[in-house]
Amino acid sequence: MTTQPSSNRKYISILPIALGCVLLLGTARLVFDNLKNSKETSIFQWQFWLQGSGIDKYFINVFDNNNNNNNNNNNNIYEDIEDCNVFEGKWVWDNLTRPFYTEQSCPYLVKQVTCQKNGRPDDFYQFWRWQPNDCNLPRFSAVKLLHILRNKRLMFVGDSIQRGQFDSMVCLLQSVIPEGKKSLHKVPSKKIFHAQEYNATIEFYWAPFIVESNSDHSTNHTVLKRLVKLDRISNHTQNWEGVDYLVFESYVWWMYKPIINATYGNPNDIKEYNVTTAYKMALETWANWLDSNINPQTQKVYFISLSPTHLWSSEWNPGSDGNCFNEKEPIHGPYWGIGTSLDIMKIVQETLQNLKTEVTFLNITQLSDFRKDAHTTIYTERKGKLLTKEQKADPKNYADCIHWCLPGVPDTWNEILYAHMLQDFYN
Ligand SMILES: *[C@@H]1O[C@H](CO)[C@@H](O)[C@H](O)[C@H]1NC(C)=O
Ligand SMILES: *[C@@H]1O[C@H](CO)[C@@H](O)[C@H](O)[C@H]1NC(C)=O
Ligand SMILES: *[C@@H]1O[C@H](CO)[C@@H](O)[C@H](O)[C@H]1NC(C)=O
Ligand SMILES: *[C@@H]1O[C@H](CO)[C@@H](O)[C@H](O)[C@H]1NC(C)=O
Ligand SMILES: *[C@@H]1O[C@H](CO)[C@@H](O)[C@H](O)[C@H]1NC(C)=O
Ligand SMILES: *[C@@H]1O[C@H](CO)[C@@H](O)[C@H](O)[C@H]1NC(C)=O
Ligand SMILES: *[C@@H]1O[C@H](CO)[C@@H](O)[C@H](O)[C@H]1NC(C)=O
């Protein structure tokens, strides 16, 4: 059963979180007042966590990789997912085939997500496998995916959640590529992994609102004074043109307040929009671009549904007063968090239905909503630095319940993406 919030205490708990940024005192109050009656509440911690969470400043070229893992599996069984809703199912304990890689075996992981290295004492979150009710997901094969990606580009577009999925995909693939034949580098707004022998690239492109905004700089992006240009997208799309596989995601940046400053038409005419209205307008701008630019013969488009947060433990454990920190098990059984906006889900669904272009909707929200145990919590960084001892001692204010540890939940998103790519490839 979905646990509904029972008191205002939940919203009050936003305050210390927002106060984590000393300058935000006034804002915190505003958020609190605005959102008392809104269900769009649980992401307010985002301002705290998204700051400085653009593209990490680093350049990696060819790492040692002595750790083979079992990604290279040529006798994988192709399971037909055509008539199966792979998003309905359950998490099952599987310490035999999970995780697909380890923090040590993937040299490309950034410290934001290496929870073990950052001191997380338990590693149970790595051993759960998503089991759809009516079918099996095809066994992930890095070799097979690289084969599909030969002479092609796969690009993830979105925010830092989406960057986590990119990082996961790179880790899933890189183990089968020998040293010297792979590289990862960063150019403004992008991270690009190159598998030389396949002439394949896996890319991440920073566009937290998908459309243009004043947060588009990959590292120096404004969080509080967000301004979204609902009808402008061309600065971004020039980076997407001709990409063979495009994977989009955008949610958490919208959810700071129920209203957002935006422009439509005249760039000087800044107005406050209801977030759901603004989100819809932005997706329409995106949809128009798709319909006039995507070549369905050669390009595939995917949209990842929203990634849930776990900011209030009272939602799954009534009477408790924490957040996702110290959670060691998934939620088993029906659960839908209050921060998981059904309005936004509906807008995405409607927009995709009205498109001429076929976009595959990867409905990962429910399965991720079960994973209260899988966030980075205090075993992460903020503004490029690992949390201090003092901060770690204060999980109520400092636990990140938005981003995910790797290996972890984003690997499952990629397994599902892979299942669809496989299907598209053979059809
Ligand atoms: C796998 O999990 C089972 C059940 O919890 C446990 O008994 C077993 O020791 C675990 N195996 C490994 C290799 O960790
Ligand atoms: C290498 O891949 C790119 C796309 O990523 C493609 O445009 C180019 O034609 C490929 N090169 C060869 C030799 O096929
Ligand atoms: C970040 O952007 C702001 C506003 O555009 C600018 O004033 C500031 O100098 C920038 N900071 C850095 C480190 O580039
Ligand atoms: C879009 O690109 C143009 C030219 O590079 C630049 O002047 C403009 O500021 C960009 N717009 C946004 C919203 O970043
Ligand atoms: C919109 O911008 C104005 C002027 O900068 C500011 O006063 C207002 O608080 C902003 N609204 C939101 C929802 O951020
Ligand atoms: C925003 O719009 C939605 C849908 O029209 C509506 O349900 C919601 O109450 C509006 N929110 C605000 C804060 O006006
Ligand atoms: C996505 O999944 C949720 C929960 O399983 C479901 O309620 C919703 O209808 C699904 N959306 C679409 C578009 O399939």
Side-chain angles (χ1 to χ4, degrees), residues 18 35 38 61 121 197 200 211 264 294 297 361 387 389 423:
L35 293 161
S38 163
N61 223 331
E197 286 176 325
V211 293
Y264 192 93
I294 291 294
Q297 305 308 318
F361 182 57
L387 298 194
K389 228 169 106 191
Q423 195 177 24

Side-chain angles (χ1 to χ4, degrees), residues 59-97:
F59 183 104
I60 303 172
N61 223 331
V62 188
F63 270 74
D64 287 351
N65 175 39
N66 301 321
N67 302 15
N68 290 317
N69 64 26
N70 57 6
N71 283 349
N72 185 358
N73 182 343
N74 286 315
N75 48 342
N76 69 316
I77 304 149
Y78 174 60
E79 307 265 359
D80 193 4
I81 58 160
E82 185 121 44
D83 300 317
C84 169
N85 182 350
V86 295
F87 308 104
E88 274 173 17
K90 58 175 187 284
W91 289 98
V92 296
W93 178 256
D94 180 352
N95 57 3
L96 295 176
T97 70

Side-chain angles (χ1 to χ4, degrees), residues 328-340:
K328 298 194 179 68
E329 275 230 22
I331 296 164
H332 299 289
Y335 176 79
W336 189 269
I338 56 163
T340 312

Side-chain angles (χ1 to χ4, degrees), residues 113-138:
V113 300
T114 52
C115 298
Q116 293 298 305
K117 199 165 158 217
N118 302 342
R120 181 161 172 167
D122 69 293
D123 61 359
F124 304 131
Y125 63 90
Q126 301 186 351
F127 300 107
W128 295 94
R129 175 170 54 81
W130 178 249
Q131 177 61 58
N133 288 338
D134 299 328
C135 59
N136 293 323
L137 288 172

Side-chain angles (χ1 to χ4, degrees), residues 25-39:
L25 254 164
T27 317
R29 185 71 229 171
L30 184 68
V31 170
F32 170 60
D33 290 342
N34 275 346
L35 293 161
K36 245 181 204 159
N37 304 315
S38 163
K39 287 203 171 177

